[in-house]
Amino acid sequence: MKAVVYDRYGPPEALRVEDVPRPSPGPAEVLVEVVSVSVNLSDWECLRGSPLYARIGGLRRPARPTLGSDIAGRVAAVGPGVTRFGVGDEVYGDNLDRKGGFAEYAVAPESALAPKPADLTFDAASTIPQAGPIALQGTALARPGSRVLINGAGGGSGAFAIQLAKRAGAHVTGVDNAGKLDFMRARGADEVIDYATDDFTRGGRRYDLVLDLVAYRSVFAYRRALAPGGRYLCVGGTVRTLLRVLSIGTIAGRLTGRRIGVLVVKLGPEHFGPVADLCVAGDVEIDIDRTFGLEDVPEALRTVGEGRALGKVVIEVA
Ligand SMILES: NC(=O)c1ccc[n+]([C@@H]2O[C@H](COP(=O)([O-])OP(=O)(O)OC[C@H]3O[C@@H](n4cnc5c(N)ncnc54)[C@H](OP(=O)(O)O)[C@@H]3O)[C@@H](O)[C@H]2O)c1
């Protein structure tokens, strides 16, 4: 089968398409014929080996030869003990631990997969498993009238997060680059900020909830942006910032009646299913900026990594 492989951390040029043996499912695993796989920022991070947490399991060399975790496709074979799926079933899920989605076939644990809703295309379904739970859990504290700021709101998780916070009745501010301001407004943001020209932690603006998808500032800057009782949740960013948030942030926040912490997102069907239900009902829109073929995975990763995607980018494998 064809797969996009790499054996060293680096730029998209480190990737190449190769013929490799088709994997076999082990106990409680499913072989999926991949139809669509969406690109996450985590794919870019694992390609580059940066931030450092992207090297977990493979400090010097990539732990897995093929990236791609959010797959949608058809079951091609099942391993011993699989009870929920049979050959031909349409499934989707986040295969973050195993990856391997930038290929014609990928093996995933049965527990990572769910039946694909008939009303969602494979492309659409592949956008939800990782970005959906980040957005859902990241906006769970949004309340009617609360002031919510989403940093990195023009990307895959951000586009869902804006919509979920608006559904909760919050006043939403989206922060991203200048090319994404109109897109964030179209998704429902009440206010938008271009991060290149305006720093949301300055100017006396205060928020009840800050969801940060790309954290790099000091803990004290985040505290400045929180209203009394406010909450800062860091989902992704530099390791230095994540460590500071976990250590100094916890104390600095508590001392002033605010809470500053890292959101460890729970992934899996029970967490992405509710977002898929909202998409099927038409309550949440799915944004696919561009689709690429398997040969174009390097360009697709570059598009996401360099911040040129409005919402999600999808690889159409089959
Ligand atoms: N905590 C957990 O448990 C967990 C689980 C899974 C994934 N994650 C992480 O979650 C993060 C979010 O991923 P995603 O897929 O939503 O990313 P994405 O689609 O790439 O969106 C990130 C957005 O942030 C923008 N951005 C970059 N630098 C910025 C800055 N300085 N200020 C404001 N916006 C900026 C990007 O645009 P530009 O680049 O053009 O600026 C892009 O629009 C990733 O880091 C991933 O590793 C965390």
Side-chain angles (χ1 to χ4, degrees):
M1 68 164 189
K2 289 206 179 335
V4 180
V5 299
Y6 76 135
D7 49 25
R8 64 179 171 92
Y9 295 115
E13 290 71 30
L15 298 165
R16 57 195 187 278
V17 179
E18 272 188 5
D19 278 313
V20 302
R22 185 191 293 188
S24 306
E29 290 180 343
V30 172
L31 178 70
V32 178
E33 181 183 8
V34 182
V35 177
S36 308
V37 47
S38 81
V39 177
N40 287 296
L41 192 57
S42 53
D43 294 311
W44 174 253
E45 293 167 344
C46 289
L47 169 66
R48 313 276 311 179
S50 169
L52 208 56
Y53 59 70
R55 296 188 183 222
I56 290 173
L59 195 57
R60 301 173 68 112
R61 297 161 66 86
R64 305 267 177 202
T66 297
L67 294 167
S69 49
D70 279 15
I71 54 174
R74 295 186 187 85
V75 174
V78 296
V82 169
T83 55
R84 290 169 48 232
F85 301 111
V87 171
D89 286 355
E90 296 183 346
V91 294
Y92 74 126
D94 184 0
N95 203 16
L96 190 60
D97 290 341
R98 295 285 301 261
K99 302 188 177 63
F102 297 146
E104 289 175 315
Y105 293 86
V107 166
E110 178 185 27
S111 59
L113 301 171
K116 180 184 80 62
D119 290 339
L120 292 181
T121 63
F122 288 100
D123 280 6
S126 76
T127 66
I128 299 171
Q130 191 173 126
I134 290 176
L136 193 62
Q137 290 160 46
T139 58
L141 295 172
R143 296 283 178 269
S146 64
R147 297 185 67 83
V148 174
L149 180 135
I150 300 161
N151 191 38
S157 313
F160 283 137
I162 294 175
Q163 298 180 74
L164 292 171
K166 282 305 293 177
R167 277 180 58 77
H171 180 279
V172 178
T173 301
V175 184
D176 213 304
N177 69 48
K180 300 186 182 181
L181 303 185
D182 287 342
F183 172 69
M184 293 189 290
R185 278 194 202 95
R187 278 292 145 259
D190 300 288
E191 292 177 45
V192 293
I193 294 175
D194 170 5
Y195 71 75
T197 58
D198 192 0
D199 180 348
F200 72 86
T201 68
R202 300 200 172 273
R205 291 164 286 194
R206 301 262 190 279
Y207 301 92
D208 301 302
L209 172 66
V210 173
L211 171 63
D212 200 348
L213 302 161
V214 278
Y216 63 90
R217 292 180 171 83
S218 82
V219 160
F220 301 102
Y222 294 128
R223 191 180 62 177
R224 206 162 51 223
L226 288 179
R231 187 83 183 259
Y232 169 85
L233 294 174
C234 170
V235 174
T238 64
V239 168
R240 184 187 162 106
T241 303
L242 289 169
L243 291 175
R244 284 182 173 179
V245 164
L246 280 170
S247 53
I248 312 167
T250 313
I251 302 160
R254 288 264 159 88
L255 289 175
T256 56
R258 293 155 171 88
R259 291 180 73 184
I260 297 172
V262 172
L263 175 68
V264 179
V265 180
K266 298 182 203 75
L267 298 169
E270 67 271 41
H271 301 292
F272 62 72
V275 181
D277 291 344
L278 290 168
C279 295
V280 168
D283 293 333
V284 167
E285 295 284 332
I286 292 172
D287 295 289
I288 298 177
D289 187 10
R290 286 182 67 184
T291 60
F292 293 84
L294 200 56
E295 308 279 336
D296 302 318
V297 164
E299 180 54 21
L301 281 173
R302 196 187 291 282
T303 302
V304 171
E306 293 180 353
R308 284 182 274 123
L310 303 175
K312 297 285 293 187
V313 161
V314 172
I315 310 298
E316 294 181 333
V317 180

